[in-house]
Amino acid sequence: MKGGSEYENAEKGYKQARLGVAETPPDKLRYKLTVMYGQINGATRALEDVRARQKDVREAAQKKIEQLRQEYLEMKALIDASEASSTRKIKEEEKRVSSKFDNIYQILLKKKAEMQTVKEEIEAALTKGGEFEFLEKAAQLQAVSTKPVYVPKVELNHELIKGVSQSTADLKTELKRCLRKPEEPLTSEEEKKPKKVPAAAVSPNKLPIFGSSEQLGDLKQAGFEAAAKPTPVQPNSVSLKAKVLENFLAKSRPELLAYAVKVILDYNTAYSKVALSENYTVASVAETHQSYRPHPQRFTYCSQVLGLHCYKKGIHYWEVELQKNNFCGMGICYGSMARQGPESRLGRNCASWCVEWFNNKISAWHNNVEKILPTTKATRVGVLLNCDHGFVIFFAVALDRIHVMYKYKEDFTEALYPAFWVFSTGATLSICSA
């Protein structure tokens, strides 16, 4: 029996060895099963984490794409405004020269008619009448001037055309330089050229272009000061300021338009229900909140928006058309004006000046002090800001006739932004192209 038992045990061990299975206690298998459950749960959590992180990456990328889209829209609006300004200058020059040609044409037409009349009279004198009548007519015709036709030299202002073209070329060169890939080396000629901002990028009528949204954001944060037309004198006394103010109060609309600037609305300041359109030149009240991203300069309480560029020196003029002139307003403010709470409303603080339509009432507001103004049927308002001599004037504009609505005299201490308030549905403010 002993021998048989050993034989059976050996056979059993042989079979287990062939199957590759070692005898394992049940407790060890249960422990192994627990470990496997834990690993499977860990793998499940890892899979969920991968999908969640993938979703976060997708959402972050989409958010950044939307931000870039808005920034590029702003830059496109700047380019469009620059193109419109340059085109307007060329058209104005063409109109000036064409008008002179029209005058010359009318003078020549009159001169030709006079010469035709003299010719006919001479022909009549040679064929009709007696000797006495002929001599009398000849004496009269002898005194008539027969000078040859003179056409004065009239041509385009080539210096102006050249300046506009050069500014555009400089702008394009600067844009190419900003957009060039970092790894792309400059040519030897380009390295020698000084890297300067073109004149077009600092003129109030030629808006700046920058190569990235970061540059644009830095510019806004720094408070970009738009260059202004030079004034003949600098303010040095109260009497001089008063004289300059009196002079501007008496100016005609064409004279004010000489100081016109292109105002573009700043997307990053617009209240969530202020809709911007027409290349950021029209502000209206939307039915629903717009998908604006958070920004420290955005108004969160009042339905307002600021201009993109600020002015710290010089003289600047812009006009605004009111489509529905109730519950809206316009003016100027410091960049430091509050963006939250009731004190952020135009005219309700010491950092803003405005005129406002509230139903049928028109008021001027500054530092929370109201001044009731006479009513006007004009639907266009002109704003004249003189930073150098410290005043802002609001004009009611009807065709080429204007009258003063209100004026503020102030020693401005910060850069100033055009500012706008639209409250009721249907109220629309449109920046006019001068």
Side-chain angles (χ1 to χ4, degrees):
M1 291 296 293
K2 185 177 181 182
S5 177
E6 289 177 356
Y7 174 79
E8 288 175 358
N9 288 336
E11 185 178 12
K12 185 179 179 181
Y14 173 73
K15 288 180 179 179
Q16 288 179 342
R18 284 185 63 192
L19 294 173
V21 178
E23 187 175 5
T24 305
D27 289 344
K28 289 187 177 181
L29 286 176
R30 291 191 188 96
Y31 175 74
K32 183 83 171 179
L33 185 61
T34 303
V35 171
M36 293 306 297
Y37 272 121
Q39 290 178 346
I40 290 171
N41 289 335
T44 302
R45 287 194 297 271
L47 288 170
E48 292 172 352
D49 182 61
V50 166
R51 286 303 186 199
R53 291 170 65 183
Q54 185 182 33
K55 182 181 177 182
D56 291 343
V57 168
R58 188 184 303 114
E59 290 177 352
Q62 288 300 321
K63 185 177 180 181
K64 179 56 67 176
I65 288 171
E66 177 60 22
Q67 291 176 356
L68 289 174
R69 189 182 73 84
Q70 293 296 337
E71 296 292 359
Y72 275 103
L73 280 175
E74 291 185 28
M75 288 189 280
K76 287 174 184 176
L78 293 174
I79 292 175
D80 289 342
S82 179
E83 179 189 5
S85 175
S86 298
T87 302
R88 176 176 57 83
K89 290 191 174 185
I90 301 296
K91 286 184 176 179
E92 287 175 352
E93 178 61 15
E94 182 270 334
K95 184 178 178 181
R96 179 189 70 83
V97 175
S98 182
S99 177
K100 286 192 174 183
F101 276 121
D102 285 340
N103 292 335
I104 293 171
Y105 182 84
Q106 293 299 324
I107 293 171
L108 291 176
L109 201 62
K110 184 179 178 182
K111 185 71 175 175
K112 180 183 177 182
E114 291 174 353
M115 290 188 292
Q116 186 70 25
T117 301
V118 172
K119 178 184 80 71
E120 291 172 357
E121 289 179 353
I122 291 175
E123 289 175 345
L126 291 172
T127 57
K128 297 179 181 179
E131 184 178 342
F132 177 76
E133 291 177 345
F134 172 78
L135 292 174
E136 184 180 17
K137 193 66 175 177
Q140 292 175 355
L141 293 172
Q142 195 70 28
V144 176
S145 173
T146 57
K147 293 180 180 179
V149 173
Y150 169 71
V151 179
K153 184 179 180 181
V154 180
E155 58 183 17
L156 294 169
N157 183 343
H158 295 294
E159 287 299 319
L160 184 146
I161 305 294
K162 182 180 178 182
V164 172
S165 300
Q166 186 60 49
S167 295
T168 303
D170 290 346
L171 197 58
K172 184 172 74 172
T173 301
E174 182 68 12
L175 184 59
K176 284 182 177 179
R177 186 187 68 79
C178 291
L179 293 176
R180 181 179 283 111
K181 295 179 181 178
E183 65 271 15
E184 184 179 337
L186 293 172
T187 62
S188 56
E189 266 187 36
E190 288 175 324
E191 286 176 342
K192 293 176 183 177
K193 290 182 180 178
K195 295 179 182 177
K196 62 178 182 178
V197 177
V202 294
S203 168
N205 291 324
K206 301 187 187 93
L207 299 170
I209 303 299
F210 303 92
S212 66
S213 58
E214 287 79 5
Q215 289 172 307
L216 188 64
D218 292 344
L219 181 70
K220 293 175 189 173
Q221 294 297 327
F224 175 68
E225 298 172 10
K229 297 179 177 70
T231 51
V233 292
Q234 295 297 321
N236 54 14
S237 68
V238 175
S239 60
L240 177 58
K241 289 184 179 181
K243 187 174 181 180
V244 173
L245 174 58
E246 184 180 348
N247 179 42
F248 274 92
L249 290 172
K251 283 187 180 293
S252 65
R253 182 168 178 260
E255 290 176 313
L256 294 175
L257 288 174
Y259 300 95
V261 293
K262 179 68 175 178
V263 174
I264 294 177
L265 302 175
D266 185 1
Y267 155 87
N268 286 324
T269 64
Y271 177 67
S272 60
K273 292 193 74 173
V274 174
L276 305 181
S277 58
E278 300 296 327
N279 289 329
Y280 299 91
T281 61
V282 175
S284 59
V285 179
E287 294 289 343
T288 58
H289 292 277
Q290 305 296 291
S291 57
Y292 295 147
R293 69 179 185 271
H295 195 280
Q297 297 301 313
R298 190 174 306 288
F299 288 102
T300 59
Y301 184 87
C302 294
S303 186
Q304 298 175 158
V305 63
L306 302 185
L308 179 63
H309 299 111
C310 63
Y311 306 105
K312 196 171 184 179
K313 59 182 179 179
I315 305 168
H316 315 275
Y317 179 77
W318 59 92
E319 291 182 350
V320 184
E321 186 74 28
L322 288 66
Q323 184 172 325
K324 185 179 179 183
N325 55 344
N326 62 349
F327 296 105
C328 62
M330 67 203 67
I332 57 173
C333 73
Y334 292 147
S336 59
M337 186 178 77
R339 299 296 196 269
Q340 302 175 2
E343 66 275 11
S344 65
R345 185 169 166 184
L346 282 178
R348 274 53 170 191
N349 50 64
C350 62
S352 60
W353 300 256
C354 75
V355 291
E356 176 183 283
W357 281 255
F358 198 90
N359 268 335
N360 296 322
K361 182 178 70 171
I362 305 177
S363 306
W365 284 88
H366 170 60
N367 205 14
N368 210 26
V369 176
E370 180 184 23
K371 171 71 175 177
I372 306 296
L373 304 181
T375 59
T376 175
K377 293 182 179 179
T379 60
R380 180 175 290 203
V381 177
V383 183
L384 187 284
L385 171 63
N386 190 321
C387 300
D388 296 335
H389 298 90
F391 59 81
V392 59
I393 309 172
F394 297 92
F395 297 92
V397 181
L399 297 177
D400 276 339
R401 291 178 290 110
I402 61 173
H403 68 267
V404 176
M405 296 179 66
Y406 200 70
K407 64 182 184 295
Y408 287 104
K409 293 185 289 184
E410 188 78 30
D411 291 326
F412 300 120
T413 57
E414 297 180 33
L416 294 155
Y417 291 82
F420 308 90
W421 174 66
V422 283
F423 184 73
S424 66
T425 302
T428 301
L429 299 179
S430 303
I431 311 298
C432 304
S433 56

